[in-house]
Amino acid sequence: MANYKFFPEIKKNFGFGCMRLPMKGDEVDTTQMNDMVDYFIANGFNYFDTAHGYLGGKSETALQESLVKRYPREQYILTNKLSTHFFQKEEEILPLFEQQLATCGVTYFDFYLMHAQDGAIFEKFKRCQAYETALLLKEQGKIRHLGISFHDKADVLERILTEYPQVEVVQIQFNYVDYEDASVESRKVYEVCEKHGKPVIVMEPVKGGSLVNLPQEAQQVFDDLHADMSYASYAIRFAAGFPNICMVLSGMNDMTQMQDNVSYMKDFHPLSDLEKEAVQKVCNIFRSMNIISCTGCHYCVLDNDCPKHIQIPELFACYNEKTTFHNWNQDYYYHNILTRNHGKASDCIKCGKCEKICPQHLPIRMLLQDVAKEFEQHG
Ligand code: SF4
Ligand code: SF4
């Protein structure tokens, strides 16, 4: 199934999300990154997605090295984003944009997205004339398409698309667990895009890895259906099967993940009825567990100066691991590694700074109380 109807320059409905990349220590593993880019392009894909803050700026430079310097410009689609943390006023937007072009080594971006829009960030972008500036850049040919990435409820998206009908594409969090989730509202958000005639790009199709590292009971459901299909394949094909979805992004840490993703997205087929039934069963299993919906984006740590230096995503992952897989080693990690030089969950002074940043709108302060109860009272 092709999605060329939306943007003819996009060759396939699967994109290389560069928020996560192969790493060697703190640096991008350039050799493996080159191989992954080559493999991706050789298999007919051409869409790459980055942002200025991804990997502390190393995502943009890695793309310059592995993609831009090694392939002609017309052979790939490059998406970048205007992120709220890098500007405070209108005058700062153009210099930031030029810096992004220079860091990537290109003269234009195919898509430029107003990053992580929610009600509050949208108001700031309006105050700073961010949409107007991006539209001007489009007129100048420095942006081919204007879009947004979005993290809020459906009514906020309705407002944005009504105020800025010039937005051409919307990137949303969409996966089979969040589809009917009351806080993420994937289905409702998707329907607003449809109503406004905006194609959708999917981020987090595997929910930050949660739909790959499945609980045993859920693994069994998929294993009974096809022993040789990866768990990620169900999540990615679920998202790509919706008619208004033009692109599914996947962050890939290594060549093995890329080969897996490419194997079923090269010649994409939506889920069969039997596979959809299995996904529904897995979804029900997932919902019955008390899992914290943290995607591990680390915004609450990187863009926030937590007064207690609490490693929020790691504590949540540790909690999920213990409650989902009954992995008691997590008690050791919690006490001896995660909180040895950082705050414990119970150290949280409830200032709320992290919650203002979290794109998932997680009640972090409340969830940390659950973590504290699990590890500090029972542990
Ligand atoms: S609410 Fe707690 S975890 Fe969040 S920034 Fe404040 S002290 Fe840190
Ligand atoms: S708590 Fe929120 S901001 Fe922090 S890593 Fe998880 S999803 Fe991201």
Side-chain angles (χ1 to χ4, degrees), residues 212-260:
V212 177
N213 303 313
L214 293 172
Q216 187 61 41
E217 202 187 335
Q219 290 183 17
Q220 199 58 52
V221 173
F222 286 145
D223 291 347
D224 287 347
L225 198 58
H226 307 292
D228 55 345
M229 290 296 290
S230 69
Y231 306 135
S233 72
Y234 293 94
I236 290 174
R237 287 173 58 227
F238 169 86
F242 285 74
N244 199 39
I245 284 181
C246 67
M247 171 66 53
V248 178
L249 297 174
S250 174
M252 294 169 274
N253 291 328
D254 59 36
M255 187 56 133
T256 312
Q257 284 178 14
M258 169 157 283
Q259 284 167 337
D260 175 65

Side-chain angles (χ1 to χ4, degrees), residues 116-162:
Q117 299 294 283
D118 62 16
I121 291 177
F122 177 54
E123 289 309 320
K124 173 183 166 184
F125 274 52
K126 279 205 303 186
R127 260 197 326 275
C128 294
Q129 302 279 313
Y131 284 70
E132 288 73 11
T133 307
L135 286 165
L136 199 68
L137 289 166
K138 188 180 166 191
E139 266 178 46
Q140 295 168 356
K142 293 182 172 181
I143 293 172
R144 295 277 158 91
H145 302 287
L146 169 65
I148 63 171
S149 72
F150 183 74
H151 285 284
D152 207 335
K153 305 274 188 187
D155 60 322
V156 176
L157 182 60
E158 176 70 41
R159 189 146 53 85
I160 296 177
L161 294 181
T162 304

Side-chain angles (χ1 to χ4, degrees), residues 75-142:
Q75 214 170 328
Y76 57 86
I77 302 295
L78 184 55
T79 293
N80 210 324
K81 309 188 186 79
L82 177 64
S83 311
T84 185
H85 337 289
F86 297 110
F87 71 95
Q88 294 311 322
K89 35 189 197 261
E90 183 182 352
E91 310 83 270
E92 292 170 356
I93 296 177
L94 283 179
L96 169 62
F97 178 81
E98 292 298 336
Q99 192 192 342
Q100 288 179 276
L101 286 179
T103 314
C104 292
V106 293
T107 53
Y108 68 91
F109 291 121
D110 299 273
F111 291 80
Y112 196 60
L113 311 186
M114 304 291 102
H115 197 182
Q117 299 294 283
D118 62 16
I121 291 177
F122 177 54
E123 289 309 320
K124 173 183 166 184
F125 274 52
K126 279 205 303 186
R127 260 197 326 275
C128 294
Q129 302 279 313
Y131 284 70
E132 288 73 11
T133 307
L135 286 165
L136 199 68
L137 289 166
K138 188 180 166 191
E139 266 178 46
Q140 295 168 356
K142 293 182 172 181

Side-chain angles (χ1 to χ4, degrees), residues 304 306-308 310 312 348-354 365 368:
N304 174 31
C306 167
K308 294 294 176 183
I310 297 172
I312 301 164
C348 171
I349 56 165
K350 301 186 171 45
C351 66
K353 287 193 326 186
C354 51
R365 290 171 286 188
L368 284 174

